[in-house]
């Protein structure tokens, strides 16, 4: 299988420091006092656990697991669980804080958390993963809870793992507690609309930004990097709203068609081809780097972090970047992009549609009731649109980029709530 080298991660930063540098800038502009700044800069709680698991060959392997609660100021903490060989405490701490800002920016009543286990699920059997997930859940039993800390899937975990988590937690409580986790299979209380929620939020953000920039969607072109859950849904929904999606890509290759890529055909091709676009006809093959620098109106990076970096930022021609991925723009590239006058709808705003519908899943579980997909979509669209408008107004009032404005909206909300609640 041909493999196109992904963009080198030249600006690879310590994720916690990258998040902190943006947090610091926004806090300074807000004039946040030292007391609140100090509370928000460190996580509220960090748990590190050792998880012995019996492997299929009878040996016992010990995995290291983490759960970091960054903040519970706005409500119970919320954040995914990552199963990946590169998981480390620094990364989990950064992602936990990111969740605090993401929930605050879309105004949902959650704090931020993140969890992870250092393991390689691709090399483990379903039984080994199940024992690891159940063991992790038991180790976190006094941390998790529908009113305390609500996990969700992240890299390397999905509905199957969330079902095991829910079951293990429920056993310890002697009753079914489906609100303890989101991202569950629909039959266990998962929400309709969750699968497409993040891509849909990217679409709503892009449409809201285009309206402000006076870009007519019917004359606009778009390139989408990453054709997994977020990228393919964003591409599909943007195409439905009139944009011409001229390029798509995944880890195996990038494809360009100036007359517009047929997104439904690309989705079908990917699904029939073990999740890969490799060999997709109906578009010309270009390099993975080129997709980021095409002359399009809207660029949606929806693959991975640091793809827009100090090496390629100068060459970007899009008028608007909507960050579907977490951290696709390095903080070094931020400055170059701003200088060029490109508008960036930042990750903590643009990809918050996922956590918004996770919140709806929890609400439905607690109501003991199921909403229609139409109701879920309508409500999440409204939340995403309101959040965009709030961030846009802040950016105009303070004359700052949308990224800093998003942090300001989030930090201001958490800081004000902290002031009302008070501390020791
Ligand atoms: P996914 O695994 O479904 O898809 C990722 C896609 O990106 C795949 O098509 C993969 O081939 C491609 N890819 C990976 N590296 C690439 C590279 N260097 N160049 C081009 N393509 C590359 O993942 P996803 O759920 O769509 O998540 C994508 C991003 O969005 C991640 O940063 C994730 O953290 C973020 N995100 C996801 C959600 C969600 O609800 N799924 C919510 C918020 C943020």
């Amino acid at each position: 299988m041909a493999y196109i080298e992904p963009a080198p991660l030249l600006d690879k930063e310590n994720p916690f420091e990258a998040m902190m540098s943006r947090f610091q800038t926004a806090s300074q502009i807000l004039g946040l006092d030292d007391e609140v700044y100090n509370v928000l800069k460190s996580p509220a709680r960090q748990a590190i656990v050792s998880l012995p698991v019996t492997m299929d060959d009878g040996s016992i392997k010990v995995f290291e697991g983490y759960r970091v609660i960054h903040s519970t100021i706005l409500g119970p903490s919320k954040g995914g669980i990552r199963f990946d060989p590169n998981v480390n405490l620094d990364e989990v701490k950064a992602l936990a804080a990111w969740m605090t800002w993401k929930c605050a920016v879309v105004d949902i009543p959650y704090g931020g958390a993140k969890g992870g286990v250092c393991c390689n699920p691709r090399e483990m059997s379903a039984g080994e993963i199940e024992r690891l997930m159940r063991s992790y859940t038991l180790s976190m039993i006094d941390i998790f809870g529908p009113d305390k800390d609500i996990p969700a899937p992240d890299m390397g975990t999905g509905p199957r793992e969330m079902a095991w988590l829910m079951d293990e937690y429920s056993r310890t409580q002697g009753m079914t507690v489906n609100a303890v986790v989101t991202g569950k299979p629909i039959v266990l209380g998962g929400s309709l609309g969750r699968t497409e929620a993040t891509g849909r939020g990217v679409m709503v953000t892009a449409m809201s930004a285009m309206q402000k920039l006076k870009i007519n969607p019917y004359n606009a072109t778009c390139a989408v990097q990453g054709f997994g859950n977020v990228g393919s849904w964003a591409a599909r929904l943007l195409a439905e709203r009139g944009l011409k999606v001229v390029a798509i890509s995944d880890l195996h290759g990038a494809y360009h068609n100036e007359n517009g890529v047929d997104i439904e055909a690309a989705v079908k091709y990917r699904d029939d081809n073990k999740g890969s676009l490799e060999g997709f006809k109906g578009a010309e093959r270009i390099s993975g780097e080129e997709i980021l620098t095409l002359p399009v109106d809207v660029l949606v990076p929806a693959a991975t972090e640091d793809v827009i970096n100090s090496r390629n930022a100068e060459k970007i021609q899009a008028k608007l970047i909507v960050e579907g991925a977490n951290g696709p723009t390095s903080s070094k590239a931020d400055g170059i992009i701003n200088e060029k006058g490109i508008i960036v709808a930042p990750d903590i705003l643009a990809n918050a549609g996922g956590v918004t519908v996770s919140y709806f899943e929890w609400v439905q579980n607690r109501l003991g009731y199921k909403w229609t997909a139409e109701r879920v979509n309508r409500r999440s669209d409204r939340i995403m649109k309101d959040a965009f408008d709030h961030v846009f107004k802040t950016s105009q009032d303070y004359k700052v980029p949308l990224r800093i404005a998003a942090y300001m909206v989030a930090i201001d909300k958490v800081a004000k709530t902290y002031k009302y609640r008070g501390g020791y």
Side-chain angles (χ1 to χ4, degrees):
M1 189 182 280
Y3 174 75
I4 292 187
E5 199 58 41
L9 305 180
L10 288 188
D11 304 345
K12 193 76 194 152
E13 294 158 322
N14 172 314
F16 193 69
E17 281 163 15
M19 186 277 300
M20 281 307 292
S21 81
R22 286 146 176 176
F23 171 53
Q24 246 159 7
T25 310
S27 304
Q28 275 161 8
I29 300 171
L30 278 173
L32 199 68
D33 61 38
D34 285 351
E35 181 198 344
V36 182
Y37 177 83
N38 287 333
V39 170
L40 297 179
K41 84 172 190 199
S42 8
R45 185 171 181 185
Q46 304 175 54
I48 306 179
V49 292
S50 284
L51 306 167
V53 172
T54 306
M55 306 305 278
D56 290 346
D57 65 5
S59 65
I60 290 181
K61 198 165 167 185
V62 183
F63 296 90
E64 187 157 279
Y66 311 95
R67 185 75 182 165
V68 174
I69 313 286
H70 173 257
S71 166
T72 53
I73 293 171
L74 294 185
S77 49
K78 185 93 190 82
I81 299 168
R82 183 169 284 199
F83 276 13
D84 188 81
N86 297 318
V87 163
N88 61 70
L89 188 59
D90 239 4
E91 179 184 69
V92 178
K93 272 164 66 179
L95 294 168
W98 228 323
M99 286 304 297
T100 302
W101 313 135
K102 206 181 276 194
C103 294
V105 88
V106 285
D107 202 14
I108 57 179
Y110 282 148
K114 203 82 183 186
V117 177
C118 189
C119 66
N120 189 349
R122 283 171 296 275
E123 290 174 0
M124 295 167 70
S125 69
E128 289 169 343
I129 296 174
E130 177 175 356
R131 292 192 286 281
L132 178 59
M133 192 70 223
R134 288 186 184 275
S135 164
Y136 178 78
T137 306
L138 266 188
S139 293
M140 300 295 170
I141 211 71
D142 60 340
I143 295 182
F144 293 161
D147 292 307
K148 295 195 311 193
D149 179 40
I150 307 134
D154 193 69
M155 257 160 66
T157 62
R160 179 184 71 165
E161 286 74 18
M162 300 309 111
W164 289 327
L165 191 158
M166 186 213 98
D167 182 67
E168 193 63 30
Y169 183 85
S170 297
R171 282 167 198 256
T172 66
Q173 308 299 305
M175 59 183 170
T176 297
V177 188
N178 56 10
V180 70
V181 61
T182 63
K184 299 178 293 292
I186 302 278
V187 288
L188 285 185
S191 180
L192 294 172
R194 176 63 188 89
T195 309
E196 60 270 42
T198 307
R200 192 174 173 92
V202 168
M203 176 275 289
V204 172
T205 307
M207 298 302 285
S208 310
M210 281 191 287
Q211 196 181 23
K212 301 283 186 199
L213 299 177
K214 304 204 175 358
I215 300 175
N216 177 350
Y218 288 96
N219 294 330
T221 55
C222 171
V224 180
Q225 183 197 43
F227 208 63
N229 174 285
V230 180
S232 64
W233 274 106
R236 184 185 251 169
L237 295 169
L238 285 167
E240 271 177 29
R241 275 151 190 82
L243 281 91
K244 196 192 284 177
V245 181
V246 294
I248 56 172
S249 75
D250 69 6
L251 197 49
H252 307 288
Y255 297 86
H256 179 231
N257 182 343
E258 60 183 23
N259 297 317
V261 177
D262 180 344
I263 301 300
E264 293 306 324
V267 168
K268 180 164 183 344
Y269 185 88
R270 176 201 65 186
D271 292 347
D272 292 345
N273 195 35
K274 297 196 186 107
S276 164
L277 286 173
E278 174 66 36
F280 175 62
K281 308 282 184 284
E284 189 192 327
R285 187 151 177 151
I286 56 171
S287 80
E289 256 296 84
E290 244 177 295
I291 192 165
L292 298 169
T293 56
L294 291 170
V296 289
D297 296 292
V298 184
L299 174 64
V300 179
T304 185
E305 72 271 20
D306 289 341
V307 291
I308 299 173
N309 50 51
S310 53
R311 204 183 70 131
N312 59 16
E314 197 55 64
K315 291 187 262 173
I316 292 191
Q317 302 189 62
K319 298 185 185 106
L320 169 68
I321 298 174
V322 184
E323 296 186 335
N326 283 321
T329 310
S330 77
S331 54
K332 278 189 194 155
D334 257 356
I336 306 170
I337 298 280
N338 292 338
E339 279 284 300
K340 283 171 68 81
I342 299 170
I343 305 300
V344 181
D347 45 14
I348 57 168
L349 169 68
N351 70 32
V355 74
T356 302
V357 175
S358 285
Y359 164 58
F360 291 163
E361 179 175 334
W362 178 81
V363 169
Q364 291 169 76
N365 294 160
R366 299 182 61 119
L367 287 172
Y369 190 71
K370 245 179 173 343
W371 294 351
T372 60
E374 192 270 332
R375 174 175 283 201
V376 170
N377 290 341
R378 187 164 28 86
R379 291 187 173 188
S380 72
D381 289 358
R382 194 174 60 217
I383 286 187
M384 293 303 293
K385 171 87 173 67
D386 288 352
F388 179 85
D389 288 346
H390 190 181
V391 170
F392 189 82
K393 183 169 186 320
T394 306
S395 108
Q396 294 219 307
D397 290 351
Y398 287 85
K399 300 190 174 26
V400 293
L402 290 179
R403 187 184 311 284
I404 298 302
Y407 273 89
M408 288 171 69
V409 165
I411 293 167
D412 187 51
K413 169 132 210 256
V414 180
K416 279 195 179 125
T417 311
Y418 176 77
K419 286 268 182 195
Y420 275 116
R421 292 184 66 157
Y424 292 107

